[in-house]
Amino acid sequence: MTDMTDMTDTIAGRTRAAWIDEFPLISELAAMRELSWFNPEIAGTAEEGIADVGLTEADIRDASARLKRFAPYIRSVFPETSVSAGIIESPIAAVPNLASVIGERKGVQMPGSMWAKLDSHLPISGSIKARGGIYEVLKHAEEIALKHELITLDSDYSVLDSDEAREVFGRYRVAVGSTGNLGLSIGIMSAKLGFKASVHMSSDARQWKKDRLRSHGVEVVEYESDYSIAVAAGRKQAESDETIYFVDDENSKSLFLGYAVSGHRLAGQLQAMEVQVDADHPLFVYLPCGVGGGPGGVAFGLKVEFGDAVRCIFTEPTHCPSMLLGVHTGAHEALAVQDFGIDNVTAADGLACGRPSGFVGQAMGRLIDGFYTVDDDEMYRLVAEADSAEGLKMEPSSATSLLGPTHVLANAEYRERIGVDEEKLANATHLSWITGGNMVPEEEMASYIEKGNSLL
C-alpha cells in the first residue's frame, strides 16, 4: 500500500480520509495494482449520454468536411498520404493469433473476435494524436487563411502549399503542452504550414520525440515536472501574446471533434470487412486514456455512429489512473492521482497525465462503460506478444488496450447489466485501439520487445 501521508490533508475541500471513506476504490488505486471498475452510472441509452456532451452529429460532420477540404493540401505536403488522397486514416486488422496467445497466458478462452485499430500507423505522426492534434491546427490555419483571403471555402486548399501562405502563417505561433505524441502531431503540422511552433514537454516525454520535433524546426521547452506543469506553462505563454494559439488538450472541443470523426470511418471499415455490429453483435472498444481527449472524442464518435451497440472501455496505467479517479468520484479535474500517493511514473509516457480533463470526464462520464488498469511490466509483455503473434509494433501505452476482452469476460455482473448474454458475447467484436508506435526508433522498439520477452 502506498503511503498517503497525512490522512487529514484537505483535497478539493475534503480530507483525504473522507474521500477514501466514501470511495474505498481509491485505496485500491493507491496500491497501484491492476484492477477494473465498471461504471454503474452509464446512460440508459446512448442518446441520453450523447445529450450530456453538448455536441452533435452535425458538429462531427462539420469536422469531417473540414478534413476533406484540407485533403489536397495534405496530399501535396505529405506524399505518404497519396494512397488515401490526403485523408489521414489507419487500417483495422484481425488479430486472432494475439487473442490466442493472451488467452493462453491468462488461462481464458478469449470471447468473440479480436481486432486492432492501427492508429499506430496513422501517417505524419504515427499516433492517435494525428487525428485531433492535426485537425485543430488545420482548423486554426483555415480561420487565418480565410481572414487573409488566401482561400475561400470552395478553394483547392493545396494553394496553401506556397511561400505566400507560409509567410502569413509565420506571423503566428502555435503552442501546446504534451507528454509526447500530441506535441509531435501539432509540432509537425504547424511547422509544415509555416507557423512558429512551441511544444512544452514534461519530464516523461521520450527523448526521441523531442529530437524529432527539433528536426522539424519546432521549439521544444523542457520541464523537470509532469504534464500538468507543462500545460500550464504553455497556456500562460499564450495568454501574454495574442499571436499565440494554445492547443488545450484538457478542454479543447476542436481536438475532441477531430478524434470523433473516426466513428463514421470505422463503421465503413467494419462493413467492408463484413463485421456486423448491432444489438446481437456488440462491439467492445478498448481505448488507452491519458488526460482523456483522444479516447473521449473517439468514444463520442463511436456512440453517435453505433448507439447502444458499442461499449467503450478506457484503460490506464496503474501508476496514473486519473480519469478513473475523476469519473468514479465525480470530482473530475479537482483530484489528481498524486493527491493519494500515486506517483504518475509509468512506461506509458503518453498516458502520464495525473489530472484528467474535466470537460471529457463530465461530458462523457455516462458514455464510458468502465475502466481497467495495467501494470508497466504487463505492458511490456503485451508489446512482445503483439510482435511475436502478429508482427505488430506498438508503444507500451498502446498495449494496454489488448487486455480489454479479459476484463469483460471476467465480469458477469457488468455483462448482465448491459444485456450481453453468452450468445451475444460469442458474437461480439473486440477492438483494441492501438494509439501509437510506428515512429518509435527501431532500437527503442527492440528494447521494449526484449524487455517484454524477459518478463514472459
Side-chain angles (χ1 to χ4, degrees):
M1 175 81 177
T2 300
D3 179 12
M4 286 184 269
T5 63
D6 190 349
M7 296 292 281
T8 63
D9 285 352
T10 300
I11 304 164
R14 304 170 65 179
T15 65
R16 183 179 284 110
W19 281 111
I20 294 170
D21 184 56
E22 183 174 357
F23 302 103
L25 183 69
I26 293 175
S27 291
E28 297 183 52
L29 294 175
M32 293 184 279
R33 292 190 295 266
E34 293 184 336
L35 58 82
S36 62
W37 175 75
F38 287 91
N39 186 2
E41 302 299 326
I42 53 176
T45 65
E47 288 79 7
E48 286 180 19
I50 288 168
D52 296 342
V53 180
L55 297 167
T56 67
E57 184 176 0
D59 294 311
I60 299 175
R61 288 199 301 267
D62 178 64
S64 181
R66 183 168 291 107
L67 289 169
K68 288 180 181 177
R69 290 197 294 273
F70 267 100
Y73 171 79
I74 295 295
R75 182 176 185 176
S76 175
V77 299
F78 295 107
E80 63 268 35
T81 66
S82 294
V83 66
S84 58
I87 295 296
I88 300 169
E89 194 45 75
S90 69
I92 60 172
V95 289
N97 296 330
L98 181 55
S100 296
V101 167
I102 294 172
E104 182 176 353
R105 178 163 64 86
K106 293 293 185 179
V108 298
Q109 179 67 44
M110 293 285 267
S113 62
M114 187 169 171
W115 292 72
K117 176 62 172 165
L118 300 177
D119 273 11
S120 51
H121 290 63
L122 279 172
I124 304 176
S125 66
S127 82
I128 190 175
K129 303 301 185 179
R131 297 185 184 278
I134 287 177
Y135 171 74
E136 180 151 356
V137 173
L138 294 178
K139 185 174 185 292
H140 180 55
E142 184 180 62
E143 291 168 356
I144 292 173
L146 290 168
K147 174 184 175 181
H148 289 274
E149 299 183 345
L150 295 171
I151 55 170
T152 69
L153 292 178
D154 296 321
S155 294
D156 178 341
Y157 279 26
S158 63
V159 299
L160 297 176
D161 182 19
S162 66
D163 291 340
E164 179 187 7
R166 283 185 284 273
E167 190 278 326
V168 170
F169 292 136
R171 303 172 200 170
Y172 301 85
R173 181 177 293 275
V174 175
V176 67
S178 175
T179 57
N181 285 344
L182 182 65
L184 274 178
S185 67
I186 287 172
I188 292 171
M189 190 71 253
S190 297
K192 182 64 71 172
L193 282 157
F195 288 115
K196 298 181 179 71
S198 298
V199 179
H200 298 259
M201 302 193 85
S202 54
S203 57
D204 359 67
R206 304 278 182 175
Q207 185 61 46
W208 70 265
K209 297 180 182 180
K210 300 173 187 178
D211 295 341
R212 185 70 59 90
L213 281 166
R214 290 183 172 121
S215 75
H216 285 271
V218 176
E219 177 190 30
V220 177
V221 185
E222 299 186 57
Y223 298 84
E224 289 303 315
S225 48
D226 72 2
Y227 167 82
S228 296
I229 300 301
V231 170
R235 188 182 289 119
K236 184 176 181 179
Q237 180 192 35
E239 288 172 352
S240 63
D241 187 340
E242 63 181 15
T243 67
I244 299 177
Y245 180 82
F246 178 67
V247 179
D248 189 343
D249 194 17
E250 297 175 3
N251 300 296
S252 173
K253 291 184 179 179
S254 292
L255 275 176
F256 189 84
L257 288 168
Y259 297 121
V261 170
S262 60
H264 182 67
R265 293 181 179 178
L266 176 64
Q269 290 179 317
L270 291 173
Q271 185 176 26
M273 295 287 190
E274 299 185 348
V275 175
Q276 191 170 351
V277 178
D278 55 34
D280 294 321
H281 302 79
L283 171 64
F284 292 88
V285 179
Y286 309 102
L287 293 149
C289 181
V291 75
V298 169
F300 177 63
L302 292 171
K303 281 293 185 179
V304 167
E305 187 66 31
F306 296 107
D308 295 323
V310 67
R311 299 290 170 177
C312 300
I313 297 169
F314 288 10
T315 173
E316 297 182 288
T318 54
H319 288 252
C320 191
S322 60
M323 186 61 72
L324 168 51
L325 177 66
V327 171
H328 175 61
T329 61
H332 304 296
E333 78 277 19
L335 297 180
V337 298
Q338 295 94 329
D339 293 332
F340 299 97
I342 304 171
D343 60 20
N344 192 34
V345 177
T346 173
D349 58 308
L351 309 183
C353 304
R355 191 179 301 275
S357 164
F359 159 60
V360 173
Q362 293 178 64
M364 291 294 297
R366 295 203 300 155
L367 291 175
I368 305 168
D369 270 42
F371 297 81
Y372 64 90
T373 63
V374 182
D375 177 79
D376 279 19
D377 283 352
E378 180 65 6
M379 294 180 207
Y380 284 116
R381 292 186 194 101
L382 293 164
V383 167
E385 287 175 331
D387 174 64
S388 63
E390 304 286 357
L392 290 177
K393 304 290 194 296
M394 62 187 67
E395 291 182 290
S397 54
S398 291
T400 59
S401 65
L402 299 173
L403 283 185
T406 65
H407 289 279
V408 170
L409 183 64
N411 198 305
E413 181 183 349
Y414 161 65
R415 298 198 311 275
E416 182 177 357
R417 188 193 316 153
I418 62 173
V420 174
D421 58 20
E422 293 298 323
E423 182 179 354
K424 290 180 180 179
L425 188 63
N427 292 332
T429 298
H430 299 267
L431 184 76
S432 297
W433 211 282
I434 310 303
T435 49
N438 200 36
M439 290 185 71
V440 176
E442 287 186 16
E443 61 276 14
E444 184 146 349
M445 182 61 71
S447 72
Y448 297 164
I449 295 168
E450 181 180 5
K451 180 167 184 175
N453 282 322
S454 73
L455 294 166
L456 286 170

